[in-house]
PDB file of all heavy atoms in Angstrom:
ATOM      1  N   LEU A 117       5.211  12.403  -9.069  1.00  0.00           N
ATOM      2  CA  LEU A 117       4.273  11.290  -8.874  1.00  0.00           C
ATOM      3  C   LEU A 117       2.849  11.818  -8.729  1.00  0.00           C
ATOM      4  O   LEU A 117       1.893  11.216  -9.242  1.00  0.00           O
ATOM      5  CB  LEU A 117       4.666  10.478  -7.637  1.00  0.00           C
ATOM      6  CG  LEU A 117       5.905   9.595  -7.772  1.00  0.00           C
ATOM      7  CD1 LEU A 117       6.388   9.138  -6.407  1.00  0.00           C
ATOM      8  CD2 LEU A 117       5.603   8.384  -8.659  1.00  0.00           C
ATOM      9  N   TYR A 118       2.702  12.940  -8.048  1.00  0.00           N
ATOM     10  CA  TYR A 118       1.383  13.555  -7.889  1.00  0.00           C
ATOM     11  C   TYR A 118       0.821  13.988  -9.238  1.00  0.00           C
ATOM     12  O   TYR A 118      -0.342  13.718  -9.564  1.00  0.00           O
ATOM     13  CB  TYR A 118       1.503  14.749  -6.943  1.00  0.00           C
ATOM     14  CG  TYR A 118       0.242  15.565  -6.800  1.00  0.00           C
ATOM     15  CD1 TYR A 118      -0.982  14.951  -6.541  1.00  0.00           C
ATOM     16  CD2 TYR A 118       0.262  16.955  -6.911  1.00  0.00           C
ATOM     17  CE1 TYR A 118      -2.146  15.696  -6.395  1.00  0.00           C
ATOM     18  CE2 TYR A 118      -0.889  17.703  -6.768  1.00  0.00           C
ATOM     19  CZ  TYR A 118      -2.088  17.062  -6.522  1.00  0.00           C
ATOM     20  OH  TYR A 118      -3.233  17.799  -6.390  1.00  0.00           O
ATOM     21  N   TYR A 119       1.659  14.637 -10.048  1.00  0.00           N
ATOM     22  CA  TYR A 119       1.197  15.090 -11.360  1.00  0.00           C
ATOM     23  C   TYR A 119       0.870  13.904 -12.274  1.00  0.00           C
ATOM     24  O   TYR A 119      -0.030  13.989 -13.117  1.00  0.00           O
ATOM     25  CB  TYR A 119       2.239  16.004 -12.009  1.00  0.00           C
ATOM     26  CG  TYR A 119       2.518  17.267 -11.214  1.00  0.00           C
ATOM     27  CD1 TYR A 119       3.813  17.783 -11.105  1.00  0.00           C
ATOM     28  CD2 TYR A 119       1.489  17.936 -10.550  1.00  0.00           C
ATOM     29  CE1 TYR A 119       4.067  18.925 -10.352  1.00  0.00           C
ATOM     30  CE2 TYR A 119       1.736  19.076  -9.799  1.00  0.00           C
ATOM     31  CZ  TYR A 119       3.025  19.561  -9.703  1.00  0.00           C
ATOM     32  OH  TYR A 119       3.274  20.695  -8.964  1.00  0.00           O
ATOM     33  N   ASP A 120       1.589  12.809 -12.093  1.00  0.00           N
ATOM     34  CA  ASP A 120       1.277  11.588 -12.860  1.00  0.00           C
ATOM     35  C   ASP A 120      -0.133  11.104 -12.525  1.00  0.00           C
ATOM     36  O   ASP A 120      -0.890  10.698 -13.414  1.00  0.00           O
ATOM     37  CB  ASP A 120       2.285  10.470 -12.541  1.00  0.00           C
ATOM     38  CG  ASP A 120       3.641  10.707 -13.189  1.00  0.00           C
ATOM     39  OD1 ASP A 120       3.740  11.563 -14.079  1.00  0.00           O
ATOM     40  OD2 ASP A 120       4.609  10.032 -12.775  1.00  0.00           O
ATOM     41  N   LEU A 121      -0.479  11.141 -11.233  1.00  0.00           N
ATOM     42  CA  LEU A 121      -1.813  10.706 -10.810  1.00  0.00           C
ATOM     43  C   LEU A 121      -2.892  11.649 -11.335  1.00  0.00           C
ATOM     44  O   LEU A 121      -3.978  11.213 -11.728  1.00  0.00           O
ATOM     45  CB  LEU A 121      -1.880  10.619  -9.286  1.00  0.00           C
ATOM     46  CG  LEU A 121      -1.075   9.488  -8.646  1.00  0.00           C
ATOM     47  CD1 LEU A 121      -1.152   9.581  -7.127  1.00  0.00           C
ATOM     48  CD2 LEU A 121      -1.587   8.133  -9.109  1.00  0.00           C
ATOM     49  N   LEU A 122      -2.595  12.944 -11.357  1.00  0.00           N
ATOM     50  CA  LEU A 122      -3.553  13.905 -11.908  1.00  0.00           C
ATOM     51  C   LEU A 122      -3.772  13.638 -13.399  1.00  0.00           C
ATOM     52  O   LEU A 122      -4.904  13.741 -13.899  1.00  0.00           O
ATOM     53  CB  LEU A 122      -3.050  15.339 -11.703  1.00  0.00           C
ATOM     54  CG  LEU A 122      -3.005  15.852 -10.256  1.00  0.00           C
ATOM     55  CD1 LEU A 122      -2.483  17.286 -10.231  1.00  0.00           C
ATOM     56  CD2 LEU A 122      -4.386  15.784  -9.614  1.00  0.00           C
ATOM     57  N   ALA A 123      -2.690  13.300 -14.100  1.00  0.00           N
ATOM     58  CA  ALA A 123      -2.799  12.994 -15.533  1.00  0.00           C
ATOM     59  C   ALA A 123      -3.657  11.752 -15.760  1.00  0.00           C
ATOM     60  O   ALA A 123      -4.302  11.612 -16.810  1.00  0.00           O
ATOM     61  CB  ALA A 123      -1.409  12.796 -16.135  1.00  0.00           C
ATOM     62  N   LEU A 124      -3.684  10.857 -14.755  1.00  0.00           N
ATOM     63  CA  LEU A 124      -4.515   9.648 -14.843  1.00  0.00           C
ATOM     64  C   LEU A 124      -5.937   9.904 -14.343  1.00  0.00           C
ATOM     65  O   LEU A 124      -6.715   8.970 -14.167  1.00  0.00           O
ATOM     66  CB  LEU A 124      -3.873   8.520 -14.024  1.00  0.00           C
ATOM     67  CG  LEU A 124      -2.533   7.990 -14.549  1.00  0.00           C
ATOM     68  CD1 LEU A 124      -1.895   7.050 -13.533  1.00  0.00           C
ATOM     69  CD2 LEU A 124      -2.710   7.291 -15.891  1.00  0.00           C
ATOM     70  N   LYS A 125      -6.257  11.197 -14.112  1.00  0.00           N
ATOM     71  CA  LYS A 125      -7.610  11.620 -13.705  1.00  0.00           C
ATOM     72  C   LYS A 125      -7.982  11.224 -12.280  1.00  0.00           C
ATOM     73  O   LYS A 125      -9.161  11.082 -11.952  1.00  0.00           O
ATOM     74  CB  LYS A 125      -8.677  11.080 -14.685  1.00  0.00           C
ATOM     75  CG  LYS A 125      -8.416  11.396 -16.144  1.00  0.00           C
ATOM     76  CD  LYS A 125      -8.389  12.892 -16.417  1.00  0.00           C
ATOM     77  CE  LYS A 125      -8.195  13.191 -17.897  1.00  0.00           C
ATOM     78  NZ  LYS A 125      -8.053  14.642 -18.161  1.00  0.00           N
ATOM     79  N   GLU A 126      -6.968  11.036 -11.431  1.00  0.00           N
ATOM     80  CA  GLU A 126      -7.261  10.784 -10.024  1.00  0.00           C
ATOM     81  C   GLU A 126      -7.635  12.107  -9.351  1.00  0.00           C
ATOM     82  O   GLU A 126      -7.000  13.131  -9.590  1.00  0.00           O
ATOM     83  CB  GLU A 126      -6.059  10.168  -9.310  1.00  0.00           C
ATOM     84  CG  GLU A 126      -5.741   8.739  -9.729  1.00  0.00           C
ATOM     85  CD  GLU A 126      -6.802   7.736  -9.289  1.00  0.00           C
ATOM     86  OE1 GLU A 126      -7.647   8.095  -8.443  1.00  0.00           O
ATOM     87  OE2 GLU A 126      -6.767   6.610  -9.789  1.00  0.00           O
ATOM     88  N   ALA A 127      -8.656  12.092  -8.522  1.00  0.00           N
ATOM     89  CA  ALA A 127      -9.129  13.306  -7.853  1.00  0.00           C
ATOM     90  C   ALA A 127      -8.154  13.725  -6.754  1.00  0.00           C
ATOM     91  O   ALA A 127      -7.740  12.888  -5.944  1.00  0.00           O
ATOM     92  CB  ALA A 127     -10.512  13.070  -7.264  1.00  0.00           C
ATOM     93  N   PRO A 128      -7.770  15.011  -6.703  1.00  0.00           N
ATOM     94  CA  PRO A 128      -6.847  15.475  -5.660  1.00  0.00           C
ATOM     95  C   PRO A 128      -7.306  15.136  -4.247  1.00  0.00           C
ATOM     96  O   PRO A 128      -6.480  14.789  -3.390  1.00  0.00           O
ATOM     97  CB  PRO A 128      -6.816  16.996  -5.887  1.00  0.00           C
ATOM     98  CG  PRO A 128      -7.096  17.163  -7.340  1.00  0.00           C
ATOM     99  CD  PRO A 128      -8.098  16.091  -7.663  1.00  0.00           C
ATOM    100  N   MET A 129      -8.610  15.234  -3.974  1.00  0.00           N
ATOM    101  CA  MET A 129      -9.093  14.953  -2.621  1.00  0.00           C
ATOM    102  C   MET A 129      -8.961  13.473  -2.273  1.00  0.00           C
ATOM    103  O   MET A 129      -8.758  13.127  -1.109  1.00  0.00           O
ATOM    104  CB  MET A 129     -10.541  15.412  -2.464  1.00  0.00           C
ATOM    105  CG  MET A 129     -10.718  16.903  -2.307  1.00  0.00           C
ATOM    106  SD  MET A 129      -9.932  17.587  -0.794  1.00  0.00           S
ATOM    107  CE  MET A 129      -8.296  18.025  -1.379  1.00  0.00           C
ATOM    108  N   ARG A 130      -9.081  12.612  -3.254  1.00  0.00           N
ATOM    109  CA  ARG A 130      -8.860  11.176  -2.997  1.00  0.00           C
ATOM    110  C   ARG A 130      -7.382  10.938  -2.693  1.00  0.00           C
ATOM    111  O   ARG A 130      -7.037  10.159  -1.803  1.00  0.00           O
ATOM    112  CB  ARG A 130      -9.303  10.340  -4.190  1.00  0.00           C
ATOM    113  CG  ARG A 130      -8.958   8.855  -4.079  1.00  0.00           C
ATOM    114  CD  ARG A 130      -9.730   8.013  -5.070  1.00  0.00           C
ATOM    115  NE  ARG A 130      -9.186   6.676  -5.200  1.00  0.00           N
ATOM    116  CZ  ARG A 130      -9.300   5.720  -4.297  1.00  0.00           C
ATOM    117  NH1 ARG A 130      -9.950   5.956  -3.171  1.00  0.00           N
ATOM    118  NH2 ARG A 130      -8.782   4.529  -4.503  1.00  0.00           N
TER     119      ARG A 130
END
Side-chain angles (χ1 to χ4, degrees):
L117 287 165
Y118 174 49
Y119 299 141
D120 286 346
L121 290 176
L122 292 180
L124 293 171
K125 307 299 183 185
E126 290 292 346
M129 284 297 91
R130 173 164 166 73

